[in-house]
């Protein structure tokens, strides 16, 4: 019989998990920014800030099957401690080798690859172990707090990284990251996992091939209409939202020549919206129909992106343009919080715990792969076409796609009602 997790135990675990997220994410973001600066100054290569965005999706794709299977077949706490320990050793090794290796780019690629492998195991294990840490009543609270913490860190990490880089240099930041990783490992060690009972069916899974084990998760996604729809919508939106990451910097700095400071205000508004959205979401009850709520909010996102296109098409002053983009960015961030967190909670509440590793690994990898594909597509598009038409068309595509899914849901619901018992 599975151990019942009390509310008090859940609250303690939430505090530990949030603390680990804050320390780990802040340290990781600071290191990534500083690494990009160091490589840029050392190699003068334009790819300096893009290494992570290339390596992490590729590693995620290669490891999606073995990591998903591994997490669903092994105890989670030892896996989590091992993956975090590997990350810590990678930073220690990097600190020891940084001044002894001439090819800094090659060393960075090796270290980032090791970190990407460790992070894939860590994130998948953590997703699959939520039910071992908190009870069902606190899953939504944990998700919203973590999302809010991540958004808050995104607001301050670039400024903090730049300040630390100028103050203690890259070597100092590596040392700080070693301390941060040590703290996250100790927090993971202190967390109390409540392993769920292993059935004979679960034990039999280990005798199957890697593909046979992994296929179970894919079949589960495909057979559950709501989950499959949420996965496909998430991939679709991630691809199209690359237009924000690629297009706004190009349109604001290169096309309109409004400067880096104004761009930072607009991008910070996104993170601010996500932060506020998750804080509001934390005090609201769970959505009764997650899929319908997500579709309506996703349609609103399409409308807002279309409005951004309209702003670039009409003749308005720079002040009105920037102020409008800050406001819209904040709203989009808030809406994204109301989309992402319920999707995460729904997956936790719907997918059997024994499949969370495989389903979570598949979902996160597909979402991650959508970003570089979208970046490549929109990077080319913004070189050829102005921002206004691109955002307008992107907004219309989102509205039409989500509208089509909305109609499909009603047809699916009607078919289920008309199906005899």
């Amino acid at each position: 019989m599975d151990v019942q997790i009390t509310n008090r135990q859940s609250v303690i675990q939430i505090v530990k998990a949030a603390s680990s997220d804050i320390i780990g994410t802040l340290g990781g973001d600071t290191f990534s920014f500083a690494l990009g600066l160091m490589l840029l100054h050392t190699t003068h290569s334009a790819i300096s800030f893009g290494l992570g965005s290339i390596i992490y999706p590729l590693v995620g794709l290669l490891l999606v099957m073995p990591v998903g299977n591994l997490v669903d077949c092994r105890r989670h706490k030892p896996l989590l401690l091992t993956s975090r320990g590997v990350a810590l050793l990678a930073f220690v090794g990097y600190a020891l080798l940084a001044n002894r290796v001439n090819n800094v780019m090659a060393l960075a690629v090796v270290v980032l690859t090791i970190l990407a492998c460790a992070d894939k195991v860590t994130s998948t294990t953590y997703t699959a172990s939520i039910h071992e840490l908190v009870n069902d009543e606190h899953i939504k609270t944990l998700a919203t707090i973590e999302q809010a913490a991540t958004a808050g860190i995104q607001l301050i990490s670039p400024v903090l990284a730049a300040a630390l880089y100028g103050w203690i240099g890259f070597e100092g930041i590596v040392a700080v990251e070693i301390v941060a990783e040590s703290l996250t490992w100790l927090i993971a060690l202190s967390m109390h996992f409540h392993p769920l009972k292993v059935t004979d069916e679960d034990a039999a899974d280990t005798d199957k091939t890697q593909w046979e084990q992994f296929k179970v998760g894919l079949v589960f996604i495909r057979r559950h209409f709501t989950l499959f729809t949420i996965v496909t919508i998430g991939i679709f939106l991630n691809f199209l939202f690359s237009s924000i990451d690629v297009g706004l910097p190009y349109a604001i700095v290169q096309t309109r020549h409004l400067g880096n400071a104004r761009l930072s205000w607009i991008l910070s508004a996104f993170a601010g919206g996500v932060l506020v959205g998750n804080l509001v979401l934390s005090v609201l009850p769970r959505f009764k129909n997650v899929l319908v709520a997500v579709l309506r909010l996703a349609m609103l996102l399409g409308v807002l992106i279309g409005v951004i296109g309209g702003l670039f098409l009409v003749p308005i002053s720079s002040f009105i343009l920037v102020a409008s983009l800050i406001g819209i960015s904040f709203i989009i961030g808030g809406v994204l919080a109301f989309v992402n967190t319920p999707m995460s909670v729904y997956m936790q509440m719907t997918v059997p715990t024994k499949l969370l590793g495989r389903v979570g690994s598949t979902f996160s990898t597909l979402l991650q792969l959508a970003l570089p594909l979208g970046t490549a597509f929109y990077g080319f598009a913004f070189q050829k076409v102005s921002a206004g038409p691109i955002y307008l068309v992107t907004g219309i595509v989102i509205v039409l796609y989500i509208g089509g899914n909305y109609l499909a849901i009603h047809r699916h619901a009607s078919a289920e009602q008309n199906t005899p018992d």
Side-chain angles (χ1 to χ4, degrees), residues 65-66 68-70 72-73 202-217 358:
M65 185 187 301
N69 293 338
L70 176 69
D72 282 339
C73 296
D202 299 336
D205 277 349
T206 58
D207 297 328
K208 299 178 181 178
T209 65
Q210 286 283 314
W211 169 244
E212 287 174 336
Q213 293 179 52
F214 188 72
K215 186 180 177 181
V216 175
R358 282 163 280 188

Side-chain angles (χ1 to χ4, degrees), residues 273-292:
V274 174
L275 174 60
V276 173
N278 274 290
L279 292 176
V280 173
L281 193 60
S282 65
V283 299
L284 295 178
R286 284 208 301 261
F287 294 144
K288 292 182 179 180
N289 191 325
V290 174
L291 184 53
V292 171

Side-chain angles (χ1 to χ4, degrees), residues 310-392:
L311 289 173
F312 281 106
L313 287 173
V314 298
I316 56 178
S317 67
S318 297
F319 175 81
I320 295 176
L321 175 63
V322 172
S324 300
L325 288 175
I326 289 173
I328 292 175
S329 298
F330 183 84
I331 296 171
I332 289 177
V335 175
L336 281 175
F338 274 74
V339 171
N340 292 335
T341 302
M343 285 170 60
S344 175
V345 173
Y346 177 82
M347 187 174 73
Q348 287 289 339
M349 301 301 293
T350 305
V351 180
T353 305
K354 65 181 181 180
L355 295 179
L356 272 173
R358 282 163 280 188
V359 173
S361 179
T362 303
F363 190 27
S364 63
T365 300
L366 291 174
L367 290 181
Q368 204 172 39
L369 285 173
L371 288 174
L373 293 175
T375 298
F377 174 80
Y378 279 105
F380 176 80
F382 277 98
Q383 293 283 347
K384 302 297 182 181
V385 184
S386 61
I390 291 177
Y391 282 123
L392 192 59

